[in-house]
Amino acid sequence: MIHATAIIEPGAKLGNNVSVGPYSYIGNDVVIGDDCIIESHVVVKGPATIGSGNHIFQFASVGEACQDKKYNNEPTSLIIGDNNVIRECATIHRGTIQDEGVTKIGSNNLFMAYTHVAHDAVIGDNVIFANNASVAGHVHVGDWVILAGNSGVHQFCKIGAHAFVGMYSGVNKDVPPFVTTIGMPAGPAAINTEGMKRRGFESDEIMAVRRAYKAFYRKSLGVDEAIELLAEDAAKFPAVQLMIDFVKSSERGIVR
């Protein structure tokens, strides 16, 4: 399962049934779980912990030192969950001591070719990064988010669960859950209705999220006024409460 031309440093730990292709490099302080496939010409450096069932394609760079000029070779880390697909030439960097010192990626995500996850980012589960999508340092991306091709997210921004960032979008504010954005800079366009349907949300909850979207974006209300207007829906529908909690906790402000 380990090609003769692959280099596995002595400090690396590989689980059961791990495949490493030609000319790949696995560095010290790397832990790779069971049933992972590392294709040819992949570089994995540590400290990094990679779960089980991940598939990393050729020329990807995973766990490399970050591109932050403040980074001074501190022993920061990368943690990746299970069943992720990391396609060709994707880059995922370790954290910095200016944050928690770790970049975190959940499970069941797809990172298409040439995508980038910068230092200290936190990526949830079931996320899709389409080709060339990138997030800067300290970005948090919630579960079920889709970043379309060539989209980019500014450092310290947060993308709420089930949001959709349209292609070529430049996000420089927080994107609330369920919101679809487009543009440069990115602005709100609608709610992610199709995504909610695919994930089993009932029609009444989708309508409630649509009302919440209108309260935040279509009624010329202040944030506090919009939240007060949505109190009844928030009590009935967790999705609306999720939107309210996100907006209330936003430090950068939400996209407008």
Side-chain angles (χ1 to χ4, degrees):
M1 303 295 287
I2 309 298
H3 194 274
T5 60
I7 297 175
I8 313 296
E9 295 287 3
K13 297 179 181 179
L14 276 58
N16 297 319
N17 198 37
V18 172
S19 172
V20 181
Y23 301 103
S24 286
Y25 173 82
I26 312 297
N28 286 309
D29 299 316
V30 172
V31 178
I32 298 179
D34 298 342
D35 303 311
C36 288
I37 300 173
I38 313 297
E39 300 285 2
S40 68
H41 299 87
V42 173
V43 174
V44 183
K45 291 187 177 181
T49 301
I50 299 173
S52 63
N54 295 288
H55 192 169
I56 304 177
F57 282 75
Q58 54 268 25
F59 302 106
S61 176
V62 176
E64 184 57 271
C66 70
Q67 299 175 118
D68 190 327
K69 292 179 69 175
K70 297 186 296 298
Y71 181 71
N72 193 29
N73 296 315
E74 297 91 354
T76 57
S77 64
L78 167 68
I79 299 174
I80 296 178
D82 303 326
N83 303 313
N84 296 285
V85 176
I86 300 170
R87 293 301 305 241
E88 300 88 339
C89 302
T91 52
I92 301 175
H93 290 167
R94 302 193 307 272
T96 67
I97 61 171
Q98 282 73 37
D99 202 318
E100 295 182 5
V102 58
T103 300
K104 298 178 182 178
I105 292 175
S107 299
N108 304 305
N109 301 302
L110 169 59
F111 299 91
M112 296 186 191
Y114 294 94
T115 52
H116 177 62
V117 178
H119 59 89
D120 305 291
V122 178
I123 313 298
D125 300 329
N126 302 293
V127 172
I128 297 174
F129 278 50
N131 299 79
N132 297 295
S134 300
V135 296
H138 315 280
V139 168
H140 287 208
V141 178
D143 297 342
W144 297 103
V145 168
I146 296 176
L147 274 66
N150 295 286
S151 59
V153 182
H154 191 275
Q155 60 188 7
F156 293 101
C157 286
K158 292 180 171 59
I159 312 296
H162 303 277
F164 186 100
V165 177
M167 63 180 182
Y168 298 104
S169 291
V171 176
N172 60 9
K173 298 287 186 181
D174 293 345
V175 179
F178 308 104
V179 171
T180 293
T181 68
I182 195 71
M184 182 68 77
I191 67 165
N192 186 13
T193 304
E194 189 59 35
M196 295 184 71
K197 289 179 180 177
R198 291 176 181 177
R199 293 158 206 151
F201 285 87
E202 299 293 339
S203 58
D204 55 349
E205 190 155 26
I206 294 174
M207 289 301 298
V209 169
R210 183 173 286 116
R211 289 192 293 271
Y213 177 86
K214 290 180 179 178
F216 286 121
Y217 289 113
R218 296 289 183 261
K219 291 183 177 292
S220 300
L221 299 174
V223 170
D224 291 339
E225 294 173 304
I227 290 172
E228 183 177 354
L229 180 65
L230 295 170
E232 184 176 344
D233 274 344
K236 295 179 181 178
F237 302 107
V240 175
Q241 188 61 57
L242 182 65
M243 293 182 74
I244 290 173
D245 291 343
F246 183 95
V247 171
K248 289 171 68 175
S249 66
S250 174
E251 296 179 359
R252 293 185 61 87
I254 61 175
V255 291
R256 290 291 189 183

